[in-house]
Amino acid sequence: MCPEPRSLDRQGGAGLPVALFIITVLALLVIGMAQLQQMSGESISLQIQSQRAFYAAESGAQVAVRDVLEAGSCSALTTPLSFSASALNGCSAALSCESVTENINGPGGNTVFSIASTGQCGSGPDQAVRIIEVRVR
């Protein structure tokens, strides 16, 4: 009356292959998320370096405008500028200047100074460079 117990030889199942498949898929997901996190961290680091290079270029342009307007010529520029402030430590700004005399009505003189400031922070693959151009008279 009782059914005969199954023999262990005849038992079949898909538990082990399914478990291996799930473990493999989860491992691939973890590896993918780890790589995404690493790339995100590198991107943020480069973005910070880029912002620091922008501020170095902007600071260099401001110093150049002051020097050029005080002296009245491009020869007053001192380049490259190295910064000692903690936020711009390790950054520099290379400056260039050109002057053009034009017939301009109004105050401020007839000489237009074109100043280019190239800010650079970092080195190697983490290096960031930004260029700012300013015209003053």
Side-chain angles (χ1 to χ4, degrees):
M1 301 220 146
C2 291
E4 217 170 289
R6 293 175 132 184
S7 125
L8 293 177
D9 304 351
R10 299 190 53 198
Q11 288 188 2
L16 183 60
V18 169
L20 289 175
F21 177 75
I22 290 173
I23 290 172
T24 303
V25 169
L26 288 176
L28 291 174
L29 282 172
V30 168
I31 290 171
M33 288 173 40
Q35 287 179 346
L36 184 63
Q37 181 67 24
Q38 179 182 1
M39 289 186 327
S40 176
E42 291 172 359
S43 174
I44 289 172
S45 175
L46 190 56
Q47 192 173 24
I48 290 171
Q49 284 290 75
S50 178
Q51 193 69 33
R52 291 179 68 219
F54 171 77
Y55 286 133
E58 189 175 54
S59 298
Q62 291 173 358
V63 168
V65 166
R66 184 204 60 206
D67 292 346
V68 166
L69 290 180
E70 282 181 356
S73 79
C74 287
S75 62
L77 289 183
T78 55
T79 187
L81 294 176
S82 294
F83 300 100
S84 60
S86 61
L88 294 178
N89 191 16
C91 297
S92 64
L95 307 171
S96 64
C97 177
E98 293 179 8
S99 61
V100 176
T101 303
E102 299 177 1
N103 291 331
I104 302 172
N105 295 329
N110 291 334
T111 304
V112 176
F113 299 101
S114 296
I115 299 169
S117 176
T118 305
Q120 175 182 346
C121 289
S123 62
D126 292 332
Q127 182 180 27
V129 176
R130 290 285 185 248
I131 300 172
I132 292 180
E133 295 182 14
V134 180
R135 287 189 170 191
V136 295
R137 66 178 194 147

